[in-house]
Amino acid sequence: MVTSRSALVALQILVLLSFLGAWHLGVELGVLDPFFFSRPLDVLVRTWRDFACGVIWRHLWITLVETILAFVIGSVGGVLVGFWLARRELLSAVFQPYLKAVNAMPRVVLAPIFALWFGLGIWSKVALGVTLVFFIVFFAVYQGVKEVTLLGQNVNG
């Protein structure tokens, strides 16, 4: 079944409005605690006010810096370690179970550990972001180098 673009957009808007309505109704009926789940309109008003007075720009800048640092550090680390281990068979075999174990660990568990190690400032959030980026890049580079190496051996062999 193929729907038109306008019908698809209308359905997407309907889902959004249904979600916001359920959220509002949940707060009004006491199903959702207003301390943790403010009303959607209150959130919109507060966001609008923060943009209007300019206070949000500082926070957005800090988040952008944390994101860029985490992306760069995680990407560079993932490429270097992925390439290095893909080219060193013994080291790859030694470290593989440890890398898989650390990757399998839920990031939510790491957040308080990083807060203790690095404090509540920028570096604990960057460290958490690095763990998110590093493993994605590492496994992609590692697998890519392994496949190219195998392909090269098959062509030459």
Side-chain angles (χ1 to χ4, degrees):
M1 177 174 126
V2 179
T3 57
S4 69
R5 178 76 180 140
S6 58
L8 182 61
V9 170
L11 287 171
Q12 291 171 336
I13 291 171
L14 181 65
V15 168
L16 175 64
L17 292 176
S18 298
F19 171 76
L20 292 174
W23 175 8
H24 181 79
L25 198 59
V27 172
E28 290 300 320
L29 296 176
V31 175
L32 298 174
D33 186 352
F35 181 77
F36 296 109
F37 298 93
S38 183
R39 289 172 190 80
L41 188 58
D42 294 341
V43 172
L44 181 64
V45 167
R46 174 65 187 263
T47 304
W48 182 264
R49 188 175 63 223
D50 287 350
F51 272 107
C53 73
V55 71
I56 201 164
W57 297 112
R58 177 178 170 268
H59 300 290
L60 288 173
W61 174 253
I62 292 169
T63 301
L64 178 65
V65 168
E66 292 166 345
T67 302
I68 291 171
L69 282 172
F71 179 76
V72 169
I73 295 168
S75 295
V76 169
V79 167
L80 293 175
V81 176
F83 188 82
W84 182 56
L85 286 182
R87 303 291 294 154
R88 304 282 188 258
E89 206 170 311
L90 176 63
L91 286 175
S92 174
V94 169
F95 285 103
Q96 187 176 23
Y98 300 108
L99 286 165
K100 286 184 178 180
V102 173
N103 183 42
M105 189 179 306
R107 300 306 185 260
V108 175
V109 172
L110 296 175
I113 294 170
F114 289 152
L116 286 172
W117 288 352
F118 302 114
L120 295 176
I122 187 174
W123 293 109
S124 62
K125 290 168 249 171
V126 169
L128 187 61
V130 166
T131 64
L132 295 169
V133 174
F134 173 84
F135 287 104
I136 294 169
V137 173
F138 167 78
F139 285 116
V141 169
Y142 178 82
Q143 189 63 38
V145 172
K146 284 294 219 186
E147 288 179 15
V148 168
T149 304
L150 256 170
L151 182 64
Q153 290 172 354
N154 289 340
V155 169
N156 293 332

